[in-house]
Amino acid sequence: MSISSRALRGARLVRAVTLGAVLALLVGLVALRAFEEAYGREVTRVVTQADVMGLPLARAIDRQEGLGRSCGEEPVLTDVVLYQPLDSEDVVVVTFDEALSRATAGAGWIRRYCR
């Protein structure tokens, strides 16, 4: 084996490694762009029924605020929770424990927390 044949093998090896690295980099950039396209956008808020302010909910909030409480959507430990059963449009006042167990059972949803 001569020096020139070793040099040619070495050059081929360097060329193959360089080509492989460039192809891997291109695939990585394409994958990153695809990920960015799918997940890089700002998420828009989806309105669910729990977010809709109906008349029964508005009345229940007014009653609680009339008693000096403030109601909000952010979960807080409190004794007064506005809860809406699935089979009713009425909003009822329950304790935190009751609301949690009913919502976990899928019987309705917590509409507001009042403190």
Side-chain angles (χ1 to χ4, degrees):
M1 215 190 255
S2 68
I3 294 178
S4 63
S5 64
R6 284 188 180 178
L8 285 175
R9 280 187 185 172
R12 287 181 185 147
L13 180 63
V14 168
R15 193 177 316 136
V17 169
T18 303
L19 183 61
V22 168
L23 287 176
L25 182 64
L26 286 175
V27 168
L29 286 174
V30 169
L32 184 62
R33 290 290 179 182
F35 179 82
E36 210 174 60
E37 181 68 29
Y39 298 103
R41 287 184 252 129
E42 188 174 313
V43 176
T44 56
R45 190 162 190 255
V46 177
V47 178
T48 63
Q49 189 172 358
D51 296 328
V52 176
M53 176 72 84
L55 189 58
L57 178 59
R59 286 183 184 152
I61 290 172
D62 287 342
R63 279 193 299 271
Q64 294 303 314
E65 289 178 348
L67 296 172
R69 296 183 177 109
S70 64
C71 299
E73 294 180 16
E74 184 177 324
V76 293
L77 289 174
T78 181
D79 289 334
V80 178
V81 176
L82 301 180
Y83 174 82
Q84 185 175 16
L86 287 177
D87 58 353
S88 173
E89 287 191 19
D90 293 331
V91 176
V92 295
V93 177
V94 296
T95 65
F96 184 84
D97 293 336
E98 279 183 276
L100 187 60
S101 63
R102 289 182 186 184
T104 303
W109 51 80
I110 296 172
R111 299 299 300 261
R112 297 290 189 276
Y113 300 87
C114 302
R115 46 185 154 151

